[in-house]
Amino acid sequence: ADGLERDGIRNWPEDLEELPRTVERGGLRGFPGLVDIGTGVNVRVFATAAERDAATPAGSRRLLRLATASPVKSLEKKLDTRRRLTLAGNPDGSLQALLDDCADAAVGILAPAPLWTRAEFEAVRKRVGEALTATTAEVLARTEKVLAALQEVQMLLPEAPPPAQAEALADVRAQLAALVAPGFVAATGAAHLGDLARYLTAISRRLERLPHGLSADRERMQRVRVIQDAYDEVAQALSPARAAGPDMVDIARMIQEFRVSLWAQQLGTARPVSEQRIYRALDAVVG
């Protein structure tokens, strides 16, 4: 890659005006991109464009975060006791980590496209710097609703479940692990936090009815399990980049919407959803 690769950069490299879309050497073609490593960003040359395209948006956002003043301390100072209590029990592990997560999601709003040139980076960094605090505050307000819905679920989860409910509760815990893992705000995306709160509310509705409807719950759970197995089978057949790509992420959301339609239909779904629609979407990915 002729010295193109870099490790742990925290700003756009001084000697790089543009990150080329492709590089060639000895008849081989590579695809340069940015990789988020948390404390910095690596410039790497990928074997395929799909791998590059999967990594670079997150790498671009991380580079912007690192090159822009953090809004975390100023936002934390403005939180009253009530809000601190609501935000304390979050999957990120601490209030500061949650605010960082929200700031990452805010950058996703302000800079949705990957960056390829120094000029693009400087222009977007200026825009991010001017709006990051306000946008992070907006994301935090949406996140509070998610955490309130999560707390409702946690209160309904029994510490010692009856054996007859064990399978359903294991399914709920697995669903929660997928929905609200550390970094869940940025992973969900600010635009979908309202959907996440609805998914969690649907789980609460399921738990409220579970003791009185074990047979119906088991039948619904089996329908979801068949679809989830099909999703997992397709994901395993794809490259890691495609398995984590936007098409599969969208299908994962469809499965969550299908859960809502089964256990909390009154909440509504973001779009029409059914087993047949999910299978067609999976078929389209496989091609």
Side-chain angles (χ1 to χ4, degrees):
D2 292 330
L4 184 62
E5 293 194 330
R6 318 289 170 86
D7 290 327
I9 61 173
R10 298 175 63 87
N11 209 325
W12 194 270
E14 292 291 336
D15 59 344
L16 187 66
E17 291 299 322
E18 181 175 0
L19 187 63
R21 302 298 180 94
T22 61
V23 292
E24 296 190 19
R25 169 73 74 178
L28 298 176
R29 176 176 292 182
F31 302 86
L34 302 174
V35 181
D36 177 10
I37 60 169
T39 58
V41 173
N42 291 343
V43 180
R44 288 288 179 265
V45 178
F46 293 93
T48 67
E51 291 174 300
R52 184 269 317 277
D53 293 344
T56 296
S60 296
R61 293 192 294 269
R62 177 61 59 199
L63 201 58
L64 287 165
R65 274 288 331 261
L66 293 168
T68 305
S70 174
V72 168
K73 288 185 178 180
S74 64
L75 287 173
E76 187 175 359
K77 289 178 182 177
K78 296 176 182 177
L79 295 174
D80 59 29
T81 302
R82 181 190 61 79
R83 294 189 73 192
R84 285 174 181 272
L85 288 172
T86 302
L87 298 171
N90 68 79
D92 286 325
S94 70
L95 178 56
Q96 184 173 0
L98 178 68
L99 292 171
D100 264 320
D101 193 4
C102 291
D104 288 345
V107 173
I109 297 175
L110 298 169
L115 304 172
W116 300 101
T117 70
R118 178 197 299 279
E120 284 179 341
F121 178 80
E122 293 298 342
V124 175
R125 181 173 67 168
K126 183 176 185 297
R127 183 170 73 242
V128 170
E130 292 171 348
L132 185 57
T133 299
T135 307
T136 303
E138 293 174 6
V139 173
L140 182 62
R142 301 182 202 180
T143 303
E144 282 187 75
K145 296 178 181 179
V146 172
L147 294 176
L150 176 60
Q151 289 165 8
E152 182 180 350
V153 172
Q154 291 169 334
M155 287 189 292
L156 289 168
L157 279 171
E159 292 185 8
Q165 298 180 22
E167 186 179 13
L169 294 174
D171 181 64
V172 166
R173 293 185 189 280
Q175 185 185 5
L176 288 174
L179 289 175
V180 286
F184 74 100
V185 182
T188 301
H192 293 283
L193 288 172
D195 293 330
L196 177 55
R198 183 164 45 82
Y199 301 157
L200 294 170
T201 300
I203 294 174
S204 291
R205 300 294 177 268
R206 177 185 181 182
L207 291 172
E208 289 169 351
R209 297 169 183 166
L210 179 61
H212 314 290
L214 289 172
S215 177
D217 188 274
R218 191 175 300 111
E219 185 272 333
R220 291 165 183 156
M221 184 168 51
Q222 182 57 32
R223 290 173 67 183
V224 173
R225 185 171 293 163
V226 171
I227 294 172
Q228 187 65 52
D229 287 346
Y231 176 92
D232 293 342
E233 183 178 348
V234 170
Q236 291 170 7
L238 299 175
S239 68
R242 289 195 67 199
D247 290 337
M248 291 297 283
V249 169
D250 187 61
I251 296 171
R253 291 195 183 108
M254 291 177 70
I255 295 174
Q256 294 298 332
E257 296 290 348
F258 183 60
R259 282 179 173 271
V260 173
S261 74
L262 292 177
W263 277 287
Q265 189 174 17
Q266 69 277 13
L267 295 177
T269 57
R271 51 183 158 166
V273 64
S274 65
E275 285 114 323
Q276 290 75 21
R277 290 175 186 270
I278 295 171
Y279 287 130
R280 284 198 296 268
L282 288 170
D283 288 342
V285 171
V286 175

